[in-house]
């Protein structure tokens, strides 16, 4: 980490610089362990602030009352209860199943149609008003509506997610195809490819990595939405669990569930990103 | 470097004489005399827009391989209308068993790509606003594998390995996997890449020059009658560029294809071409067609030959004179 007596490079470029200078270099990714360290320290900082605000032997000594923000210890103690009597695993399974079904359906329908619409723009023009409408529906209005249309069972949750996410999936897939440089199409055409061959062999595969990246992000959206749906008329699910915790005045349960949701989302994203790298070896930037 | 001294090619003089004879006995241009009034270039000259002289080797009723009939391309209309090329008129004969290598020279923005894309049938350049673009006597209606195109950038299908890139056109024709990969390997080798090391690589693992080799192989594997190349070596460093020129010359000899090669390097045009088409600055018109000796030595040797340089200087002077008189005419 020391300068090692090397002459500084012109313009502060080469690795002879001190590590502080290197931290501030534009667009340069720090080494793996530095990245981990930085990430851990942001979480650590949050915990530190949290711990500080909730320290004190008796509630009156705390900066924030335990009814508002429980201490770290109290939050950790909710773990056995959550896994035990409150059935956290079953709720996680219920929520994830709904997301996979609802968002999965949105992908199965939205991605092919979106990609086709990106390639055949009249189709895009035809669907665009619906998509804009769909992306701007107040999500809160969709819950009562889907309850009336699909009842109070799983179908309602899945369809709610589908309707809420399919416009986003569609337009992300369409833009990914639109963004592919026309040169690729022209090259394929001068090599004798038919329109369908250009789509299938060039446009679609070139757009897929971006489509995949977009769906990774939208998955987060879907995961957030499902808890919303679970606030109403649900018997299982993370949203339901959170709502019950509120009714029982157990903020430490809510916090713990949020931590677990965060970990879960991170784990799923890592898995997807691992798949993505395997699926698209030609994109070294993923 | 020392062995790069201008070693006269053994038969250079004989060859050039032969070529000159073939080029309707045009003598090589005299050393340019910058003080004298601009000499009329002593080469085959076709006035733009004028009636092209009866083609020298007009074969019995064969349609021209490429013909532009007073082609004008205007983008947009009303006050925003912009004319990219104006009244471009020329004819490239279909000489049996041998294609011609046409280099298109001109300042940037003069409409070189427009001319190429009109032949390729690519929009929005295609179709022309007025005039006709004929290939083999028939109007161009759209792109096709008979007119291969090599671009300067975005040339590789990034999701395919080198061999799949090269085999792309064959795959579109429905050629079986083993057969097309076999052919692709042949072409990977011909363009100077290594089947063993490069065939399974993805484009992002290749240098710019290697990618252009892939693009050339991918086009030539389909044996197109016409090969359109839009500044294919424009982004390459000079020495890679010369290697690519040599490779292209060697490949083209076996091809019997007509090549349109756009460049703004006069050296490149004179080296590669049988003929150089000079376009004026925007709106592009065809100012001159100049016959030049075809390459008979590796690029680095030929491009330092004084005779070669005479051609280069002469064309440079011609362009300057033509541009000057055109500007004078405009005022
Ligand atoms: N689609 C287009 N719309 C409007 N102007 C265009 C379009 N394409 C090209 N041009 C203009 O036509 C002129 C010729 O373009 P181009 O053939 O690409 O020139 P070159 O290849 O010689 O550099 C340029 O001035 C360019 O700006
Ligand atoms: Mg151009």
């Amino acid at each position: 980490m020391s300068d090692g007596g090397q002459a500084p490079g012109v313009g502060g470029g080469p690795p002879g610089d001190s590590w502080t200078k290197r931290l501030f270099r534009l667009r340069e990714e720090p080494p793996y362990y530095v990245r981990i360290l930085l990430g851990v320290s942001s979480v650590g900082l949050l915990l530190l602030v949290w711990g500080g605000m909730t320290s004190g032997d008796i509630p009156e000594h705390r900066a924030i009352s335990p009814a508002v923000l429980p201490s770290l210890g109290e939050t950790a103690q909710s773990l056995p209860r959550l896994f035990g009597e409150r059935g956290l695993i079953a709720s996680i399974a219920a929520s994830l199943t709904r997301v996979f079904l609802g968002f999965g359906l949105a992908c199965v329908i939205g991605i092919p149609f979106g990609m086709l619409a990106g390639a055949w723009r009249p189709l895009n023009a035809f669907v665009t008003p619906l998509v804009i409408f769909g992306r701007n529906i107040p999500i809160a209005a969709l819950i009562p509506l889907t309850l009336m249309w699909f009842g109070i069972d799983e179908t309602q949750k899945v369809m709610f997610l589908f309707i809420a996410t399919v416009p986003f999936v569609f337009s992300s897939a369409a833009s990914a195809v639109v963004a592919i440089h026309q040169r690729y199409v022209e090259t394929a055409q001068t090599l004798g490819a038919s329109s369908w061959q250009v789509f299938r062999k060039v446009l679609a595969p070139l757009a897929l990595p971006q489509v995949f990246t977009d769906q990774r992000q939208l998955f987060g959206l879907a995961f957030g939405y499902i808890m919303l749906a679970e606030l109403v008329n649900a018997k299982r699910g993370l949203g339901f669990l959170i709502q019950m915790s509120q009714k029982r005045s157990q903020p430490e349960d809510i916090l713990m569930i949020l931590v677990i949701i965060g970990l879960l989302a991170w784990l799923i994203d890592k898995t997807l990103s691992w798949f993505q790298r395997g699926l698209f070896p030609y994109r070294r930037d993923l | 470097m020392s062995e790069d001294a201008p070693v006269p090619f053994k038969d250079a003089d004989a060859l050039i004489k032969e070529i000159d004879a073939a080029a309707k006995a045009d003598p090589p241009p005299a050393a340019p005399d910058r003080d004298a009034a601009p000499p009329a270039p002593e080469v085959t000259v076709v006035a733009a827009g004028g009636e092209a002289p009866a083609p020298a080797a007009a074969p019995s009723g064969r349609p021209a391989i490429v013909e532009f009939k007073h082609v004008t391309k205007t983008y947009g209309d009303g006050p925003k209308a912009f004319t990219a090329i104006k009244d471009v008129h020329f004819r490239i004969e279909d000489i049996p068993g041998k294609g011609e290598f046409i280099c298109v020279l001109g300042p940037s923005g003069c409409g070189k790509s427009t001319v190429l894309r009109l032949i390729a049938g690519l929009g929005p350049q295609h179709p022309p606003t007025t005039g006709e673009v004929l290939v083999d006597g028939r109007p161009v209606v759209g792109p096709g594998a008979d007119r291969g195109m090599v671009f300067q950038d975005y040339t590789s299908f990034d999701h395919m390995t080198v061999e799949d890139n090269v085999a792309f056109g064959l795959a579109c024709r429905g050629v079986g996997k083993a057969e097309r990969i076999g052919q692709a390997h042949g072409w990977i080798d011909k363009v100077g890449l290594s089947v063993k090391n490069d065939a399974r690589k993805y484009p992002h693992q290749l240098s710019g020059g290697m990618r252009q080799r892939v693009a050339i192989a991918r086009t030539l594997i389909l044996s197109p009658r016409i090969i359109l190349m839009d500044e294919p070596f424009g982004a390459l460093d000079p020495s890679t560029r010369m290697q690519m020129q040599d490779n292209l010359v060697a490949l083209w000899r076996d091809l019997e294809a007509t090549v349109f090669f756009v460049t703004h390097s006069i050296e490149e045009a004179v080296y590669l071409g049988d003929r150089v088409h000079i376009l004026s600055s925007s709106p592009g018109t065809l100012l001159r067609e100049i016959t030049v000796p075809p390459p008979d030595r590796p690029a680095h040797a030929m491009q330092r030959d004084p005779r070669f340089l005479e051609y280069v200087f002469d064309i440079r002077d011609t362009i300057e004179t033509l541009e000057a008189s055109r500007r004078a005419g405009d005022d």
Side-chain angles (χ1 to χ4, degrees):
Chain A
M1 284 281 184
S2 88
D3 280 6
Q6 274 181 295
V10 179
D17 280 348
S18 71
W19 65 273
T20 40
K21 266 194 188 163
R22 253 185 271 172
L23 274 183
F24 290 100
R25 207 173 286 155
L26 277 180
R27 305 186 60 150
E28 184 167 310
E29 189 164 57
Y32 180 70
Y33 290 105
V34 178
R35 292 207 305 271
I36 298 289
L37 195 74
L38 287 170
V40 167
S41 48
S42 83
V43 175
L45 194 69
L46 182 73
L47 293 179
L48 211 69
V49 173
W50 181 356
M53 302 302 274
T54 56
S55 68
D57 304 329
I58 51 168
E60 285 73 31
H61 289 176
R62 294 193 189 178
I64 298 178
S65 136
V68 176
L69 188 66
S71 72
L72 287 169
E74 288 157 0
T75 306
Q77 277 161 20
S78 67
L79 210 53
R81 179 173 62 240
L82 278 173
F83 276 104
E85 61 188 272
R86 304 207 54 198
L88 181 65
I89 298 284
S91 275
I92 289 177
S95 291
L96 281 182
T97 310
R98 290 163 186 160
V99 178
F100 284 133
L101 287 176
F103 183 62
L105 190 62
C107 288
V108 164
I109 292 177
I111 291 177
F113 274 97
M115 292 179 82
L116 283 171
W120 282 282
R121 307 293 280 279
L123 179 58
N124 202 20
F126 181 71
V127 186
T128 293
L130 298 179
V131 170
I132 292 177
F133 176 66
R135 295 201 311 188
N136 292 287
I137 294 180
I139 198 71
L142 263 189
I143 296 177
L145 210 56
T146 48
L147 280 170
M148 289 192 275
W149 287 349
F150 302 106
I152 57 168
D153 291 335
E154 290 305 292
T155 320
Q156 180 262 335
K157 313 264 176 316
V158 170
M159 288 313 288
F160 161 79
L161 257 191
F162 169 73
I163 297 171
T165 55
V166 76
F168 293 95
V169 173
F170 177 93
S171 50
S172 79
S175 349
V177 173
V178 169
I180 301 297
H181 202 289
Q182 181 64 9
R183 190 80 81 237
Y184 295 111
V185 175
E186 294 170 354
T187 303
Q189 285 175 335
T190 58
L191 293 167
S194 65
S195 293
W196 178 244
Q197 283 173 328
V198 173
F199 178 76
R200 196 168 50 81
K201 290 173 186 278
V202 178
L203 284 176
L206 280 175
L208 266 183
Q210 184 60 46
V211 171
F212 202 100
T213 304
D214 292 340
Q215 301 333 301
R216 260 171 69 193
Q217 307 228 340
L218 286 176
F219 181 84
L221 185 82
F223 204 29
Y225 279 176
I226 191 57
M227 297 188 208
L228 223 78
E230 289 167 348
L231 295 180
V232 183
N233 265 320
K235 286 169 220 72
R236 279 186 317 278
L238 292 165
F240 163 77
L241 220 52
I242 288 175
Q243 208 199 13
M244 292 320 280
S245 307
Q246 185 215 341
K247 286 192 175 148
R248 298 191 194 179
S249 301
Q250 287 174 322
E252 62 275 19
D253 281 19
I254 300 183
L255 288 170
M256 199 65 223
I257 295 170
L258 289 184
V259 169
I260 287 166
I261 288 173
L263 287 175
L264 214 57
W266 177 77
L267 208 73
I268 291 169
D269 189 64
K270 278 283 159 218
T271 314
L272 290 177
S273 133
W274 180 79
F275 268 112
Q276 191 175 18
R277 275 196 302 269
L279 282 174
F280 311 117
Y282 47 93
R283 286 285 299 269
R284 60 184 151 175
D285 53 326
L286 291 174
Chain B
M1 277 297 153
S2 60
E3 54 193 347
D4 283 357
V7 184
F9 184 76
K10 197 166 62 171
D11 287 328
D13 280 307
L15 244 165
I16 287 177
K17 270 180 206 134
E18 214 174 277
I19 290 152
D20 288 342
K24 292 202 287 166
D26 283 328
D33 183 355
R34 280 152 201 281
D35 294 328
E42 302 162 84
V43 285
T44 314
V45 168
V46 178
E51 276 308 301
S60 52
R62 269 171 98 99
I65 182 77
V66 174
E67 185 169 9
F68 271 53
K69 285 185 173 168
H70 302 288
V71 173
T72 296
K73 179 68 194 185
T74 304
Y75 298 105
D77 42 38
K80 278 200 198 155
F82 177 81
T83 299
I85 59 169
K86 198 172 154 190
D87 200 25
V88 173
H89 190 86
F90 66 86
R91 186 183 158 93
I92 309 296
E93 290 310 326
D94 185 12
I95 308 162
K98 177 193 181 304
E100 252 191 304
F101 203 118
I102 315 288
C103 285
V104 183
L105 255 184
S108 103
C110 73
K112 304 183 295 295
S113 301
T114 303
V115 168
L116 242 59
R117 294 172 61 95
L118 279 167
I119 302 173
L122 295 172
Q125 287 75 11
H126 168 86
T129 313
T130 60
E132 258 191 309
V133 178
L134 303 174
V135 166
D136 216 8
R138 288 184 302 272
V140 171
V141 289
D146 56 324
R147 285 149 291 140
M149 183 122 184
V150 179
F151 297 95
Q152 183 186 118
D153 48 11
Y154 298 101
T155 53
S156 320
F157 296 129
D158 298 325
H159 59 293
M160 294 181 191
T161 58
V162 167
E163 60 187 18
D164 285 334
N165 261 282
V166 174
F168 180 86
L170 296 179
C172 289
R173 285 180 187 177
V175 177
K177 175 113 185 154
E179 163 70 16
R180 66 174 189 256
I181 295 298
Q183 286 194 39
H185 284 182
W187 278 97
I188 288 170
D189 187 57
K190 279 192 204 173
V191 295
L193 295 172
S194 149
V195 172
K196 189 164 140 284
N197 297 323
D198 302 325
R200 308 303 292 269
K201 280 187 182 160
Y202 283 103
H204 73 77
Q205 296 167 290
L206 305 179
S207 69
M210 292 162 93
R211 283 168 178 241
Q212 285 313 65
R213 290 177 196 272
V214 172
I216 290 170
R218 189 180 53 194
T219 301
L220 298 191
I221 198 172
L222 301 175
S223 2
R225 298 268 325 270
I226 299 171
I227 302 165
L228 308 163
M229 305 180 91
D230 196 349
E231 301 189 40
F233 307 151
L236 305 179
D237 66 85
S239 75
T240 309
R241 191 169 182 150
M242 286 200 190
Q243 285 169 18
M244 300 290 292
Q245 290 170 358
D246 287 337
N247 188 232
L248 181 61
V249 165
L251 293 173
W252 176 69
R253 291 227 158 93
D254 310 331
L255 275 178
E256 303 175 10
T258 300
V259 180
F260 279 83
F261 189 102
V262 164
T263 175
H264 46 224
S265 156
I266 300 178
E267 284 85 353
E268 191 166 66
V270 173
Y271 176 65
L272 291 174
D274 293 322
R275 241 189 307 167
V276 178
H277 283 198
I278 299 176
L279 290 187
S280 71
S281 58
S282 173
T285 48
L286 181 56
L287 291 177
R288 286 288 152 91
E289 290 182 39
I290 298 177
T291 304
V292 293
D296 54 34
R297 278 159 287 169
H300 75 93
M302 183 155 164
Q303 294 190 18
R304 57 175 61 204
D305 184 320
R307 277 165 166 284
F308 175 86
L309 290 173
E310 266 171 37
Y311 270 99
V312 172
F313 293 143
D314 195 57
I315 288 182
R316 185 163 296 154
D317 290 344
T318 306
I319 292 172
E320 277 171 20
T321 320
L322 288 170
E323 282 290 333
S325 66
R326 218 174 72 92
R327 275 196 300 273
D330 283 350
D331 296 337

